[in-house]
């Protein structure tokens, strides 16, 4: 077993001062206990006990270029030396907004913010102001941040299963949530074209927006069924409803044009975050001019002290430059690495006769232990053996491989065949023990 005394000790100290001992609730789920990082470099992370891990958590997605990528570090330091933030405009904002409108097919204009949660809040506000309607359709198993407006129970299977229940059709995601906000949410099964059409036609007068992850990365990494997003586009257009694709995970991860670029869908708005900043806090809403112009004409307030700060825009520009160089070669590298890893894991599942499914969308995939042959909806996903996977994640950690306990693996552009081979050797030992 690995030694984690220092991490355990720091967690105890942390709990005295930091509410919950962690800065984001999900992090307390890590077993045997939350780890404390000492440093990260490329695809590897070191903890305070001196253990080194191949990192597939990648800070829950942002580290698309791994830890401490020299291009990001250099650009951020250079920006800091010129002043971290100004509270007035600067060239970095224009440059980043211009790049985003060039790269993202749906983007006439963009608005910058600090987190995925804030970007989603703005997108919903734009949709309500544009349509004059209140309700928002969202889907089981998707996650769109933790604001009252959109958070519902059990967004993620590795969140503590202790969210309070209520008599409302939509259960709150947390204690203290506004029940009024929940009344504006219509929760539907995803990848179910009939359910979508029925709900949209029945409530067309009330529905301002449909918000959906283009690939259901948060639970099961499920691809949309053929024609599903196209149908969502057709219906929303016909019924005067704003279509929002939440690309906080998929933006800049599946390609320079996000998932909507890859799938050829033209939503009204998208939200991006995570990979955009390569690890620095930045997010954006991008979309059609008619909607985005509600910010310019003053209909919609878009606020934030640190929006578009020099460090965040520098990190995003550096990340995009690396991802876009050599015609986007980083994406081919990530897909190749992910493919080797996924193929290897599938072979190991067969070798050890462990029933399982891997759903992959380029450089992100979900490994689940399940008797189901195919997992393409949330109801089937919830039949997986979560306890077994949690044990797998714990044993992998002991082997020097850091994976998230809900089965989602992120690959960076700096993971190589060496990491893949080391990971597969570790998985071989762990699956034999399991
Ligand atoms: C699809 C999606 N939207 C929004 C968010 C919220 O982003 P943030 O954690 O940066 O607030 C997340 C975070 O995981 C996400 O996966």
């Amino acid at each position: 077993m690995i030694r984690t005394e220092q991490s355990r000790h720091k967690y105890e100290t942390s709990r005295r001062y930091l509410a919950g001992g962690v800065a984001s609730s999900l992090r307390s789920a890590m077993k045997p206990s939350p780890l404390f990082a000492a440093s990260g470099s490329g695809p590897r992370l070191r903890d305070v006990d001196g253990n080194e891990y191949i990192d597939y958590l990648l800070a829950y997605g942002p580290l698309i270029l791994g830890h401490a990528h020299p291009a990001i570090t250099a650009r951020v330091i250079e920006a800091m030396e010129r002043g971290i933030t100004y509270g007035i405009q600067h060239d970095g904002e224009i440059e980043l907004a211009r790049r985003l409108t060039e790269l993202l097919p749906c983007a006439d204009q963009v608005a910058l913010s600090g987190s995925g949660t804030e970007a989603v809040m703005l997108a919903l506000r734009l949709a309500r102001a544009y349509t004059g309607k209140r309700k928002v359709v969202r889907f089981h198993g998707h996650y769109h941040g933790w604001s009252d407006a959109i958070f519902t129970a059990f967004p993620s299977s590795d969140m503590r299963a202790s969210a309070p229940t209520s008599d409302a059709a939509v259960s709150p995601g947390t204690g203290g949530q506004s029940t009024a906000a929940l009344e504006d949410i219509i929760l539907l099964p995803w990848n179910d074209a009939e359910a979508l059409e029925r709900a949209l036609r029945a409530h067309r007068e009330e529905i301002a927006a449909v918000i959906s992850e283009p690939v259901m990365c948060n639970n099961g990494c499920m691809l949309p069924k053929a024609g599903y997003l196209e149908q969502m586009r057709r219906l929303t257009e016909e019924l005067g409803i704003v279509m929002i694709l939440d690309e906080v995970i998929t933006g800049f991860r599946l390609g320079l044009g996000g998932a909507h670029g890859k799938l050829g869908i033209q939503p009204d708005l998208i939200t991006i975050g995570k990979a955009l900043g390569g690890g620095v806090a930045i997010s954006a809403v991008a979309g059609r001019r008619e909607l985005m112009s509600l910010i310019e004409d003053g209909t919609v307030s878009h606020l934030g002290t640190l929006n578009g700060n020099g460090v965040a825009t520098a990190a995003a520009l550096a990340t995009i430059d690396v991802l876009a160089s050599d015609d986007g070669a980083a994406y081919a590298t990530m897909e190749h690495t992910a493919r080797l890893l996924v193929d290897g894991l599938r072979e190991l599942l067969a070798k050890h006769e462990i029933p399982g499914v891997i759903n992959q969308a380029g450089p992100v995939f979900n490994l689940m232990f399940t008797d189901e042959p195919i997992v393409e909806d949330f109801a089937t996903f919830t039949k997986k053996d979560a306890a077994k996977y949690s044990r797998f994640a714990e044993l992998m950690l002991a082997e020097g491989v850091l994976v998230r306990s809900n089965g989602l693996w992120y690959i960076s552009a700096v993971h190589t065949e060496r990491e893949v081979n080391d990971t597969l050797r570790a998985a071989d030992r762990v699956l034999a023990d399991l």
Side-chain angles (χ1 to χ4, degrees), residues 216-232:
M216 183 159 137
C217 288
N218 271 294
N219 279 298
C221 202
M222 283 172 235
L223 293 169
K225 285 185 187 164
Y228 180 65
L229 291 180
E230 287 79 357
Q231 191 227 20
M232 185 185 287

Side-chain angles (χ1 to χ4, degrees), residues 189-257:
W190 193 64
N191 253 347
D192 182 338
E194 270 176 39
L196 180 66
E197 175 148 17
R198 229 178 302 124
L200 294 195
R201 292 205 184 279
H203 301 282
R204 61 190 295 174
E205 304 302 332
E206 300 170 288
I207 297 173
V210 174
I211 183 165
S212 173
E213 293 182 50
V215 176
M216 183 159 137
C217 288
N218 271 294
N219 279 298
C221 202
M222 283 172 235
L223 293 169
K225 285 185 187 164
Y228 180 65
L229 291 180
E230 287 79 357
Q231 191 227 20
M232 185 185 287
R233 177 64 287 185
R234 270 195 309 277
L235 277 173
T236 46
E237 200 157 4
E238 178 196 330
L239 302 174
I241 295 167
V242 173
M243 176 171 169
I244 305 168
L245 286 184
D246 182 348
E247 296 231 38
V248 167
I249 290 180
T250 53
F252 288 99
R253 175 155 284 285
L254 297 198
L256 290 169

Side-chain angles (χ1 to χ4, degrees), residues 48 76 105 161 177 183 185 208 216 248 266 324 335 361 368 414:
V48 289
V76 163
Q177 189 170 0
E183 283 166 14
I185 296 176
M216 183 159 137
V248 167
Q266 196 71 350
E335 298 222 357
M368 57 202 104
V414 295

Side-chain angles (χ1 to χ4, degrees), residues 60 115-118 120 143-146 213 218 246 248-249 274:
Y60 293 81
S115 66
T117 297
E118 288 170 86
V120 169
Y143 175 63
H144 304 292
W146 59 286
E213 293 182 50
N218 271 294
D246 182 348
V248 167
I249 290 180
K274 296 202 191 248

